[in-house]
Amino acid sequence: MTRTEELAAALARTTDRVRAAAGAAGRDPDRLRLVVVTKFFPADDVRRLADLGVRDVGESRDQEASAKAAELAPDLPDLRWHFVGQLQTNKARSVARYADVVHSVDRPRLAAALQAGAADAGRRVGCFVQVDLAAGLGLDAGADRGGAAGDDVLRVADAVAAGEDLELRGVMAVAPRGVDPARAFAELSRAARRVRAEHPGAVEVSAGMSGDLEQAVAAGATHLRVGSAILGSRPGAR
Ligand SMILES: *Cc1c(COP(=O)(O)O)cnc(C)c1O
């Protein structure tokens, strides 16, 4: 099998999973956006995925993402780049130059830095507020993956909404390890409702990865971030 055939097969399996999950939940599969997370994989894989019809790709490290986006921009101007990883404030300006959507906005200062970068670059950047689900689930705070907790979720949402060049899309989370994903995503739905009460346009929910996309679809996710189920296990990761 060539790499393209391998990716095509894995992509088809994932799309089948998404359609089945949507069917089970009585949801329209065409309203679900699959973001293929290509971190650790070469730009050539992104090209192959684009040939297979993928338009939304996700990355989690600025250095790697900015290089891939720059390399592919001339040939693939229609790709939408989603930044899904933890983001340092001093990288926000760089990310705002190529990212169409940032899924991991978890502090007001980061929102302000993204706004400055977007204004500078003359671009609009969609933003999800990343929610740390640990506290609401009764787990120890300080989870390894970032995210705002409690009332900070609303503070971050307000900061994004105040950014003229930012668009508040909704909330995002990663289900904590060792927790039933259905329980985790129910907690995310509660955060989503609180944000929507203040910001009615923030209707999107980014949740669900290779291992838990079914539970995410059942809980109302609109964006699924799937990496290893499509690209294989990441070189040197996990
Ligand atoms: C890597 C990553 C994913 C994809 O994870 P898989 O388990 O490989 O599908 C999704 N979301 C975030 C935030 C990630 O960092």
Side-chain angles (χ1 to χ4, degrees):
M1 251 208 292
T2 65
R3 178 65 170 155
T4 300
E5 287 165 350
E6 198 174 276
L7 290 172
L11 186 61
R13 279 196 301 274
T14 301
T15 309
D16 284 349
R17 280 176 66 190
V18 173
R19 294 200 159 262
R27 301 186 56 201
D28 178 357
D30 296 331
R31 305 285 304 267
L32 301 175
R33 177 147 319 169
L34 179 64
V35 177
V36 181
V37 180
T38 51
K39 65 187 182 200
F40 292 97
F41 288 92
D44 279 342
D45 275 350
V46 182
R47 271 185 218 281
R48 293 183 181 102
L49 289 163
D51 283 344
L52 295 168
V54 169
R55 284 291 165 273
D56 293 277
V57 294
E59 288 284 335
S60 65
R61 296 183 306 180
D62 173 53
Q63 209 181 3
E64 177 183 349
S66 58
K68 279 185 204 165
E71 177 180 342
L72 296 173
D75 297 337
L76 298 167
D78 295 339
L79 277 184
R80 283 183 292 264
W81 293 89
H82 296 252
F83 194 89
V84 304
Q86 275 182 269
L87 180 52
Q88 291 170 269
T89 307
N90 64 3
K91 300 280 170 63
R93 193 167 287 268
S94 168
V95 169
R97 277 200 282 271
Y98 59 85
D100 298 287
V101 186
V102 177
H103 291 238
S104 46
V105 185
D106 62 0
R107 357 188 251 293
R109 276 193 60 209
L110 178 56
L114 284 166
Q115 165 54 32
D120 249 23
R123 308 181 67 241
R124 291 187 71 74
V125 177
C127 293
F128 287 88
V129 178
Q130 184 174 351
V131 179
D132 175 4
L133 300 176
L137 292 167
L139 305 174
D140 286 343
D144 47 337
R145 306 217 196 189
D151 290 341
D152 285 343
V153 173
L154 282 175
R155 285 190 196 103
V156 179
D158 291 346
V160 170
E164 252 177 60
D165 301 290
L166 304 180
E167 270 169 36
L168 179 63
R169 295 285 185 81
V171 294
M172 172 277 208
V174 176
R177 281 172 226 261
V179 173
D180 173 7
R183 246 188 91 211
F185 295 140
E187 184 63 26
L188 180 60
S189 297
R190 279 189 282 279
R193 279 196 296 275
R194 290 185 63 199
V195 170
R196 269 203 308 272
E198 306 285 331
H199 301 281
V203 296
E204 293 173 2
V205 177
S206 169
M209 319 197 326
S210 293
D212 56 21
L213 71 86
E214 283 83 3
Q215 290 92 337
V217 170
T222 61
H223 287 59
L224 308 166
R225 310 177 310 269
V226 178
S228 50
I230 295 170
L231 287 123
S233 47
R234 285 181 279 279
R238 295 205 175 166

